[in-house]
Amino acid sequence: MNRTSQQSAGFTLFAFTWAMAGLFHQLSFPDWRWYSVKGVFLTAAILWVLFKPSSWYRFAVLLIIDWLSITWAFPYHPNHIVFAWIVDGTLLAALMLVFYKEKSHTDLASRWFRAAAPWLRIELCLLYFFTVFHKLNISYFDIDWSCAAKMHREISAWMPLLPGGNWAQHLGIYGTLIIETAIPVLLLFGRTRVAGVILGMLFHG
């Protein structure tokens, strides 16, 4: 497989996973991303991409709608929705740059992916840096205040097989910190990148 084919395959995989992430966001935030006019357009765009993720113009339409829908509801967003907005903007800026520089639709998906990928990697590493950095405080390690402990208690409340004792909450606190440090480190190197992707999907899933 030549470099252009690899980048086209990378674009298709990224477009598919980004659309799937959007679908999960739809299901997680039904109050404004599903039952509103914006939600209808966003859902239609997501499904349009999922039926043909190799299409650059379908993906561009999804990014525009998603970026505008998030912008419309600022500032009331969780952090990861704000990050999605940044990624949308980066991808659209990269697309405009590719159009401006080359003015050709030939292999546009692969050229778009090549232009955007380095910036997306930097943004992902910065995201994980601040994800870990902001947890380095006294409250995070206190099970009465820690967001990790709180989430562990919520999950264990509807998953009886998951232990909910103090030791398990402490494990959740330190385990979260270790995993969120490990994911970007694994993603930095080619040999461990697949392991980083799998770890990230399992952890966040």
Side-chain angles (χ1 to χ4, degrees):
M1 183 182 290
N2 59 40
R3 187 172 180 81
T4 300
S5 298
Q6 287 179 331
Q7 290 167 344
S8 294
F11 171 85
T12 300
L13 178 61
F14 182 83
F16 176 81
T17 53
W18 196 245
M20 285 300 298
L23 186 61
F24 283 121
H25 286 164
Q26 292 290 84
L27 298 174
S28 301
F29 302 96
D31 53 334
W32 64 272
R33 295 178 68 91
W34 187 270
Y35 295 111
S36 64
V37 173
K38 298 189 297 294
V40 171
F41 278 105
L42 189 54
T43 303
I46 288 170
L47 295 176
W48 200 37
V49 170
L50 289 177
F51 280 117
K52 192 178 180 182
S54 60
S55 170
W56 69 265
Y57 60 86
R58 293 189 184 206
F59 190 48
V61 169
L62 169 59
L63 294 174
I64 292 169
I65 293 173
D66 192 37
W67 190 88
L68 289 174
S69 69
I70 295 172
T71 301
W72 185 270
F74 260 120
Y76 305 106
H77 296 301
N79 293 339
H80 67 283
I81 297 293
V82 176
F83 180 71
W85 179 80
I86 294 171
V87 171
D88 288 344
T90 301
L91 286 163
L92 290 171
L95 178 61
M96 288 187 287
L97 183 64
V98 168
F99 261 119
Y100 175 76
K101 289 180 64 176
E102 304 187 33
K103 297 181 175 64
S104 171
H105 292 182
T106 305
D107 297 324
L108 193 141
S110 62
R111 290 185 288 116
W112 184 8
F113 183 77
R114 183 170 64 247
W119 297 104
L120 298 183
R121 293 187 189 109
I122 291 170
E123 289 172 358
L124 185 63
C125 287
L126 285 173
L127 171 72
Y128 274 106
F129 170 79
F130 285 107
T131 297
V132 172
F133 181 73
H134 94 280
K135 290 183 172 69
L136 302 179
N137 60 78
I138 295 173
S139 295
Y140 176 75
F141 295 96
D142 185 333
I143 61 172
D144 293 325
W145 293 95
S146 176
C147 57
K150 180 178 183 294
M151 182 171 286
H152 185 90
R153 290 192 296 270
E154 290 174 353
I155 295 173
S156 63
W158 56 268
M159 289 185 66
L161 295 179
L162 188 68
N166 287 357
W167 68 269
Q169 294 178 51
H170 282 294
L171 185 63
I173 290 170
Y174 289 97
T176 296
L177 202 61
I178 291 169
I179 292 172
E180 288 184 342
T181 302
I183 290 171
V185 173
L186 292 172
L187 292 175
L188 283 175
F189 305 101
R191 291 184 177 180
T192 58
R193 194 160 291 150
V194 173
V197 170
I198 292 172
L199 179 61
M201 291 178 66
L202 290 173
F203 174 72
H204 291 293

